[in-house]
Amino acid sequence: MKKLFVSNKDESVRMFKYGWMEFFSRVHFSVPLILYVPVVGYFLYWGYAHTDLGTVAVTGLFASGIFAWTAAEYFLHRFVFHYHPTSQWGQRLHFIMHGVHHDYPNDSMRLVMPPSVSIPLAFLFYFGFKILMGAALTAPFYAGFVLGYLFYDMLHYAVHHANWNNKWFMTLKAHHLKHHFKDPERGFGVSSALWDKIVGTEYK
């Protein structure tokens, strides 16, 4: 079987010529928590305190946001991160976005999305939801969506670096590691295998 990685150790490769760019391409797993837990808290509070939605509606929108993230996670991973461009520039961009993770899957400093990518995406999703739903509905929905993202990021890190004796976790870990070491064109869900099952890209 063809080897699907360059190194399975906690190491990586230099991606940028300039030191400051290289520095910002690496991020500790705690950084998304520091950045986005306050975002979740703020929008959830705003949904309760500054709208007339009520507890049931806010809770439902919050849960819907979490569910929406699972779909975004799957389709971004499958159709954006695993899009294979033909141009040299496109291949370089693909390597920076996701290819390096497949070449060095256990690099602990490139397992979570750097803020230089996640912050613009966070604004893009927020204003997209706001245009579609309005500010009041968006607040609790977006809080759930961001929490879903955080759960994904932390679980992705744990899948590569933790060994918890938990059936649910070990099932997800096996699912994701097959994506790296068996068939990278299946198993696109990380925090859940739900969409792989729905779309038909699960491992038989």
Side-chain angles (χ1 to χ4, degrees), residues 26-39:
R26 299 172 184 270
V27 56
H28 191 266
F29 77 90
S30 64
V31 170
L33 293 171
I34 295 168
L35 286 175
Y36 293 110
V37 166
V39 173

Side-chain angles (χ1 to χ4, degrees), residues 3-45:
K3 184 180 178 183
L4 298 176
F5 59 91
V6 174
S7 172
N8 198 25
K9 298 178 181 179
D10 187 357
E11 61 181 353
S12 187
V13 65
R14 188 178 181 92
M15 291 201 303
F16 298 101
K17 176 181 178 181
Y18 299 106
W20 68 271
M21 294 179 72
E22 183 68 14
F23 173 79
F24 284 109
S25 75
R26 299 172 184 270
V27 56
H28 191 266
F29 77 90
S30 64
V31 170
L33 293 171
I34 295 168
L35 286 175
Y36 293 110
V37 166
V39 173
V40 174
Y42 170 78
F43 280 103
L44 192 57
Y45 167 77

Side-chain angles (χ1 to χ4, degrees), residues 90-111:
Q91 290 174 7
R92 169 67 173 158
L93 182 62
H94 171 265
F95 178 77
I96 292 171
M97 288 179 61
H98 195 62
V100 66
H101 175 53
H102 275 267
D103 282 355
Y104 299 87
N106 286 323
D107 176 8
S108 60
M109 298 302 286
R110 285 197 174 119
L111 274 172

Side-chain angles (χ1 to χ4, degrees), residues 37-57:
V37 166
V39 173
V40 174
Y42 170 78
F43 280 103
L44 192 57
Y45 167 77
W46 199 92
Y48 275 110
H50 297 285
T51 71
D52 297 322
L53 292 172
T55 301
V56 174

